[in-house]
Amino acid sequence: MTGTGGARPDPAAVLLVDDHRVFADALAIGVAAQPDLTCAAVAYTAAAARAALAGAAIDAAIDVALVDLDLPDDSGMRLVEEFAARRPVIVLTAHPRLDLARRAAAAGAAGFLAKDAPLPEILAAVRAALAGSAVRSWETDTDVHLTARELEVLSGLGRGRDATRIAADLGISVHTTRDHIRALLAKLGVHSQLDAVVTADRLRLIAVGTAI
């Protein structure tokens, strides 16, 4: 949304629709951390997404929607059709197939991304959609080979631990732990620890949020 009277523009409001709560909540944190974006609502079902847009004021406040195609109560593609008439919609899917991309485009989607895309790529797609550009990507990286130690470090990151705590848990130095983290980022093709956790969760390398 844009402010009036020459004021600084308000952050663009993003609606996240995804039944994978860990992914959706992590993405919401990533969106909220951007100075030009804000997470207006997170919906885990199609019904909740529609409810978030039920009021005229709320509907007008949503600038862009990120929609998963796999929802427990309805077709995400149907939501794309409904929402795209009023605002840009970006599809995030665990099944980045060309046929689905074409259907999403026909339904009005401005973007089509694999859910294991790095956070910067998702944010770039959001900004491009807000600017009126179309962003579609069908690339996915499912061939990631990690060592046993790298998996242990990754698991620690998934539990919200920093390098110092992970080093203490594994009985290795902080320097070595940071080397493993750098190797993880390179292998996962990401640029931050948050991106690594989100991507690893989508690839089922770790289970984020499990009890310690």
Side-chain angles (χ1 to χ4, degrees), residues 79-137:
L79 284 186
V80 173
E81 294 174 351
E82 294 174 15
F83 292 175
R86 298 289 302 276
R87 64 190 52 79
V89 177
I90 296 171
V91 169
L92 285 178
T93 178
H95 310 288
R97 305 196 316 260
L98 184 57
D99 61 323
L100 290 179
R102 288 172 174 167
R103 286 179 57 197
F112 186 93
L113 297 173
K115 289 174 72 172
D116 58 4
L119 178 61
E121 183 177 342
I122 295 174
L123 295 174
V126 169
R127 294 183 176 108
L130 288 167
S133 302
V135 178
R136 298 182 180 89
S137 171

Side-chain angles (χ1 to χ4, degrees), residues 15 26 37 72 96 99 108 117 121-122 165 181 183 186 194 199 202-203:
L15 170 65
L37 302 174
D99 61 323
E121 183 177 342
I122 295 174
R165 177 68 186 277
I181 291 173
L194 173 61
T199 299
R202 295 310 308 164
L203 295 176

Side-chain angles (χ1 to χ4, degrees), residues 6 100 152 168 175:
L100 290 179
E152 289 177 329
H175 177 77

Side-chain angles (χ1 to χ4, degrees), residues 97-201:
R97 305 196 316 260
L98 184 57
D99 61 323
L100 290 179
R102 288 172 174 167
R103 286 179 57 197
F112 186 93
L113 297 173
K115 289 174 72 172
D116 58 4
L119 178 61
E121 183 177 342
I122 295 174
L123 295 174
V126 169
R127 294 183 176 108
L130 288 167
S133 302
V135 178
R136 298 182 180 89
S137 171
W138 306 281
E139 296 181 0
T140 181
D141 179 9
T142 57
D143 189 24
V144 178
H145 301 288
L146 304 180
T147 67
R149 182 63 86 189
E150 286 169 349
L151 280 172
E152 289 177 329
V153 171
L154 183 58
S155 179
L157 293 176
R159 294 197 295 274
R161 295 175 176 175
D162 62 14
T164 301
R165 177 68 186 277
I166 294 172
D169 289 344
L170 299 180
I172 58 179
S173 72
V174 175
H175 177 77
T176 298
T177 302
R178 288 175 178 155
D179 284 344
H180 286 310
I181 291 173
R182 282 191 287 269
L184 284 169
L185 298 185
K187 289 185 177 182
L188 292 170
V190 298
H191 302 288
S192 73
Q193 293 179 27
L194 173 61
D195 292 341
V197 170
V198 172
T199 299
D201 182 64

